Amino acid sequence: MPRTSAVECPGCPPLRALTTDALGLIKVVEVHGNPGILKVVERWGQPDASSGVLAASYADDKIEPLLAVARKNGSVEILNSLNGESLCNTHTKQFGLLDTSRQDDHVVGLHLLKTKGINLFSRVATLLLCTENGNACLKSIPMSGVLHDSDIGSQMSFNVCSAGKILCSSLAKSENFALFGGKGVEVNKWDLGNCTRIWTAKSPRPNSLGLSPPPWFTAAAFLSEEDHRKIAAGTNNHQVRLYDTSAQRRPVMSVDYKETPIKAVCPDLHGYKVYVGNASGDLGSFDIRTGKLLGGFTGKCSGSIRSIRKHPELSVIASCGLDCYLRVWDTNTRQLLSTAFLKQHLTNVIFDSHFSYEGPGGNRHDQPSAIQVQDDDSAGNDESVEDEVLPSSRSSEASKMSKRSKTKKLDQEELPTSGNCQVYETKGTNEIKKRRSKIARQQDEDDGAGDTATQSEVEDGEKSSEKHGKRLKPKKRKVSA
């Protein structure tokens, strides 16, 4: 039976997260108070295995944030992430993809263009969608409920691979470039302005046996918001690779992590870290400058990690996967802050960076300081109690001391001096003399009683010895002449 260890969760700061699962449900999880625990506050949709969420994208707008989800049955839906209202519902067949006849051609990549693809006044949203067979499409969709073929706006379709299976995709912060990779497909970068491939990765150099593993990418992401040339990718061979598209096609750095395939990669866009999760539930962080493993996160997950997300403002990350748990971690200490069991296999987690909460009773940061003050007061009370108890203990010890030691102590107490000069007097001279004379008289009486007892014992001893001497004195024998 495997060993398990309990991990204490100190709680996490106020935040709001949205999760999607394999049954098509969207759950809103919030933390109220600081620190607090994760709690499910809303659930949108009905459980249905055919409508499981395969991909999700979030437009973090302060006025009207949008959430786009692609489901297993081929539907694509755009919702208001504040109340779950459905703003648009369409199907992949209406996107005009090149191969929509295959039932297994599921959506693996969905990206909602935020900066220039959403127009709230004209109610138009732009989506980038990619399927397993490499069919990609960039379309503008009006948000007017259920759409028909005639409602689809401008579109651009292209094929990102001629063979293989696409498993991962990513969109740059500038929304001008996109990444695609998969099984039998090297990581390649596309320019979305004219839908052309501008860079393709090359396999690492062969090993000592002259063998090179076939490409099998399971996760990919851009490392920086400003620079689209740095790419991090995870492979099925438990490798984390770092690419620089401006330098070379082969990876500039490649490190192994554990023994299972990499399933999720999340860069710290404001730093030099990349967070990696694998199929066995291990979560770790790497320094992309040196390739060194900074450490693993405390509290191992019990299932494959499918999504990792870094909070835009707070120093926390969230992870979810097949163990049905949503976990929030501290990026500095790599400590588990809070968990929530959500009952279904989770596929994606997304943070709402504009969420704020103020408790009715004020900020909960004041509680630890109040506790500290209370502890200080109790410590003071303990000291006073100890001071009250000490005299009795000292008196009991003094009762066991001899009277001569009392006199010596009194002398030390009486006139503490420094050198030949008297410094101070702690008690009145007359009182000290009275105490000394009283102790001296008591000693004399005790000594006299002891001497009298000794004298009487000596006399009794002499008499007894004379008596015994008379008994033991041998009688003189008369000798006849």
Side-chain angles (χ1 to χ4, degrees), residues 112-164:
L112 182 61
L113 276 66
K114 310 173 184 63
T115 57
K116 55 187 178 181
I118 299 176
N119 191 337
L120 296 178
F121 298 100
S122 60
R123 311 294 294 175
V124 174
T126 303
L127 293 174
L128 172 63
L129 186 142
C130 181
T131 63
E132 290 182 354
N133 295 330
N135 301 317
C137 183
L138 187 65
K139 291 182 178 294
S140 298
I141 302 174
M143 295 181 291
S144 59
V146 180
L147 299 182
H148 303 283
D149 295 342
S150 59
D151 297 332
I152 301 296
S154 60
Q155 62 181 15
M156 297 176 64
S157 300
F158 53 97
N159 193 359
V160 298
C161 68
S162 58

Side-chain angles (χ1 to χ4, degrees), residues 21-155:
D21 56 47
L23 294 183
L25 299 177
I26 301 174
K27 296 181 181 180
V28 181
V29 183
E30 294 182 357
V31 177
H32 295 171
N34 192 4
I37 59 175
L38 297 170
K39 292 183 179 180
V40 179
V41 296
E42 288 185 80
R43 192 188 78 169
W44 304 331
Q46 297 298 326
D48 184 8
S50 63
S51 62
V53 178
L54 300 177
S57 181
Y58 184 65
D60 195 4
D61 186 74
K62 190 173 182 179
I63 301 175
E64 188 178 2
L66 300 178
L67 175 66
V69 293
R71 302 185 183 274
K72 190 175 181 180
N73 55 12
S75 65
V76 178
E77 187 178 6
I78 299 178
L79 304 94
N80 187 336
S81 64
L82 297 179
N83 51 22
E85 178 187 359
S86 179
L87 304 177
C88 174
N89 193 352
T90 183
H91 197 274
T92 54
K93 294 180 180 180
Q94 299 176 357
F95 279 73
L97 297 178
L98 299 180
D99 187 7
T100 58
S101 59
R102 297 181 56 179
Q103 298 296 329
D104 58 345
D105 192 15
H106 301 300
V107 176
V108 295
L110 177 66
H111 305 282
L112 182 61
L113 276 66
K114 310 173 184 63
T115 57
K116 55 187 178 181
I118 299 176
N119 191 337
L120 296 178
F121 298 100
S122 60
R123 311 294 294 175
V124 174
T126 303
L127 293 174
L128 172 63
L129 186 142
C130 181
T131 63
E132 290 182 354
N133 295 330
N135 301 317
C137 183
L138 187 65
K139 291 182 178 294
S140 298
I141 302 174
M143 295 181 291
S144 59
V146 180
L147 299 182
H148 303 283
D149 295 342
S150 59
D151 297 332
I152 301 296
S154 60
Q155 62 181 15

Side-chain angles (χ1 to χ4, degrees), residues 431-449:
E431 184 179 358
I432 294 172
K433 289 181 178 180
K434 288 179 182 180
R435 290 176 61 187
R436 292 186 62 184
S437 59
K438 183 177 179 181
I439 294 173
R441 280 197 305 272
Q442 191 172 359
Q443 288 179 355
D444 293 340
E445 290 176 0
D446 294 343
D447 293 341

Side-chain angles (χ1 to χ4, degrees), residues 9 75 99 150 183 228 241 257 278 283 339 403 416-417 464:
C9 300
S75 65
D99 187 7
S150 59
K183 184 178 181 180
H228 60 85
R241 298 178 184 176
Y257 182 63
N278 62 8
L283 181 62
T339 62
K403 296 173 183 178
T417 58
S464 60

